[in-house]
Each structure stands twice: as structure tokens, then as C-alpha cells.
């Protein structure tokens, strides 16, 4: 039961269905996931350790907020970790690694990026395929610690990426970006793959920095809190 609550709540946080900065009301979560108070508290504790939830003394829990400072720092660190992972993967990756990367790209390229019912929202299946592609790219690095750090950074970045979808005012061919990264990796062109990945991550950051994400998220979170108060 705890695992189900943890996975469901984590998915909602990453997809920004629960907005950064929003209050997390334990009883509402118990009802939502049909689990006990203890199961929700354990799930919140795990998510707090992952940095996706914050605990406020005497005030309960909130989804971790976002900020321009955090985004800049996160992007900088992620670029450095991606550089290490990609360089190691290209140097040590086997033919099996190449095959998994091609398969992950094929799945991603065949999955619609936007939700059919709401073109302003990233499709959940595409988000899963996107995560699988980025993991396949670096799995050849063969370093459990690097991959663990990579996974943590990807999860934090995913909240920002989801927020960037409705904020983008420019046409962006993300599929082409992924293909170029994959092709460079298959050519064993580490410098080229790292440069492409750096630009890939920087574009999302630029979109968010140009859209005043702190105000955007704060306004939406405040509305969500007000709506929740009205329903109590």
C-alpha cells in the first residue's frame, strides 16, 4: 500500500499535476490513493528525502517549490553529470548498449509528445519513453553511483520540463534533438554528443527563464490552495 501511494504521489509531483509549492494535505492523499495515514506519511518521508517534498514545522508538507536559482544550479550540475555519463558510456558501451539506445529512440519517436486531449500538456507515455531514452543513453557508463545521481537529477529536471511545455512560444523539434544526440553517440563522438546534450538541456532552461516560472508556478499553486480551502 505504501509503495502504491509513493509511486502515485511521485508521478503526480513529477508531472506537475501537483504543482510546485502546493500544500499536501494528508487526509486528501489518503482518500485519493485509498491508503492509510501511515502509508501516506511514509510515502511523504521518502519523497522528502528525494527532494520532491518539503516538511514545514507546524505546517505540514508541500511539494518542493521551484526557483530561478534552483533551475540554474540544477541545469549546471546536470550538464556536468551528463558529460561524465555520456563520455563513459561512449568509451565503454557495448553493442548491446547501442541496440538498447536505438530501441529506446524508436519507442520515443513513435510516441506522441503532446496529450491527445490537451495539446498544452506533455503526454504521460511520451514522458516515460523520454525518461527511458535518456537512461539508455547513459547506461553504458557502467557506474552505479553516476547513474544514481543521474536519475536524481533527471527527476528534479522533469518537473521543470513539464512546466516548460505550455510556456514555450517557439516551435521546437525535440525529436530531431534526440536523434542527433543518438547518432553522435553511435558514431562514438563523445564531444559532439555532449555538445548536443548541453544545448538540449539549455533550451528548456531558456524557455523557463524567459517565462518567469517562479511567478507562474506561485500563482497556480496559490489558486490550487484556495480551491482546496473552499472544498474543506
Amino acid at each position: 500500500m505504501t509503495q502504491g501511494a509513493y509511486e502515485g504521489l511521485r508521478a503526480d509531483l513529477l508531472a506537475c499535476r501537483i504543482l510546485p509549492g502546493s500544500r499536501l494535505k494528508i487526509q486528501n492523499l489518503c482518500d485519493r490513493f485509498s491508503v492509510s495515514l501511515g502509508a501516506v506519511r511514509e510515502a511523504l518521508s521518502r519523497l522528502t528525502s528525494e527532494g520532491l517534498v518539503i516538511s514545514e514545522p507546524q505546517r505540514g508538507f508541500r511539494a518542493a517549490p521551484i526557483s530561478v536559482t534552483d533551475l540554474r544550479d540544477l541545469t549546471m550540475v546536470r550538464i556536468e553529470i551528463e558529460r561524465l555519463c555520456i563520455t563513459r558510456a561512449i568509451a565503454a558501451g557495448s553493442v548491446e548498449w547501442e541496440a538498447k539506445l536505438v530501441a529506446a529512440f524508436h519507442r520515443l519517436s513513435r510516441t506522441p509528445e503532446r496529450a491527445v486531449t490537451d495539446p498544452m500538456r506533455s503526454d504521460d507515455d511520451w514522458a516515460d519513453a523520454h525518461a527511458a531514452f535518456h537512461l539508455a543513453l547513459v547506461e553504458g557508463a557502467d557506474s552505479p553511483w553516476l547513474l544514481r545521481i543521474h536519475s536524481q537529477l533527471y527527476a528534479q529536471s522533469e518537473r521543470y520540463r513539464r512546466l516548460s511545455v505550455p510556456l514555450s512560444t517557439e516551435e521546437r523539434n525535440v525529436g530531431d534533438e534526440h536523434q542527433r544526440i543518438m547518432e553522435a553517440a553511435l558514431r562514438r563522438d563523445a564531444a559532439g554528443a555532449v555538445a548536443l546534450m548541453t544545448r538540449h538541456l539549455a533550451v528548456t532552461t531558456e524557455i523557463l527563464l524567459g517565462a518567469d516560472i517562479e511567478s507562474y508556478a506561485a500563482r497556480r499553486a496559490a489558486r490550487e490552495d484556495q480551491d482546496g480551502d473552499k472544498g474543506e
Side-chain angles (χ1 to χ4, degrees), residues 45-65:
S45 177
R46 290 175 63 182
L47 291 164
T48 299
S49 69
E50 293 179 23
L52 294 173
V53 169
I54 60 171
S55 175
E56 300 177 319
Q58 310 301 321
R59 300 185 65 182
F61 296 90
R62 281 188 180 271

Side-chain angles (χ1 to χ4, degrees), residues 107-115 121-134 154 158 161-162 165 174-175 178 200:
R107 175 191 171 196
L108 179 60
S109 66
R110 294 295 185 271
T111 306
E113 182 182 352
R114 301 297 180 97
R121 183 172 63 83
S122 181
D123 183 83
D124 289 342
D125 290 338
W126 187 89
D128 290 342
H130 185 243
F133 171 79
H134 277 270
Y154 183 91
E158 180 66 1
R161 187 195 68 78
R162 289 287 191 122
V165 174
V174 178
H178 290 136
H200 179 65

Side-chain angles (χ1 to χ4, degrees), residues 79-142:
I79 285 171
E80 288 300 311
I81 294 299
E82 290 282 356
R83 178 181 60 79
L84 288 172
C85 288
I86 290 172
T87 301
R88 284 182 62 93
I90 288 175
S94 63
V95 172
E96 287 74 19
W97 166 70
E98 292 183 358
K100 288 181 180 179
L101 176 57
V102 171
F105 174 76
H106 180 76
R107 175 191 171 196
L108 179 60
S109 66
R110 294 295 185 271
T111 306
E113 182 182 352
R114 301 297 180 97
V116 175
T117 56
D118 182 4
M120 295 299 289
R121 183 172 63 83
S122 181
D123 183 83
D124 289 342
D125 290 338
W126 187 89
D128 290 342
H130 185 243
F133 171 79
H134 277 270
L135 176 60
L137 179 66
V138 301
E139 271 189 318
D142 192 28

Side-chain angles (χ1 to χ4, degrees), residues 5-6 8-25 28-29 32-33 44 47 52-53 61-66 159 162-163 217 220-221 224-225:
Y6 163 77
L9 183 52
R10 188 175 190 274
D12 285 348
L13 289 165
L14 294 183
C16 291
R17 287 187 288 269
I18 297 176
L19 290 167
S22 298
R23 279 186 291 168
L24 299 172
K25 300 175 183 178
N28 289 355
L29 296 174
R32 180 173 186 169
F33 296 111
L44 288 171
L47 291 164
L52 294 173
V53 169
F61 296 90
R62 281 188 180 271
I66 62 170
R159 298 189 308 147
R162 289 287 191 122
L163 279 178
R220 287 189 58 186
E224 189 171 277
D225 285 348

Side-chain angles (χ1 to χ4, degrees), residues 71-86 130-131 134-135 149-158 161 197-198 200-201 204:
L71 174 60
R72 290 185 187 277
D73 188 37
L74 176 61
T75 302
M76 180 271 292
V77 175
R78 189 175 173 202
I79 285 171
E80 288 300 311
I81 294 299
E82 290 282 356
R83 178 181 60 79
L84 288 172
C85 288
I86 290 172
H130 185 243
H134 277 270
L135 176 60
I149 295 168
H150 180 276
S151 177
Q152 292 171 341
L153 294 171
Y154 183 91
Q156 290 291 339
S157 297
E158 180 66 1
R161 187 195 68 78
M197 177 60 76
T198 298
H200 179 65
L201 300 178
T204 299

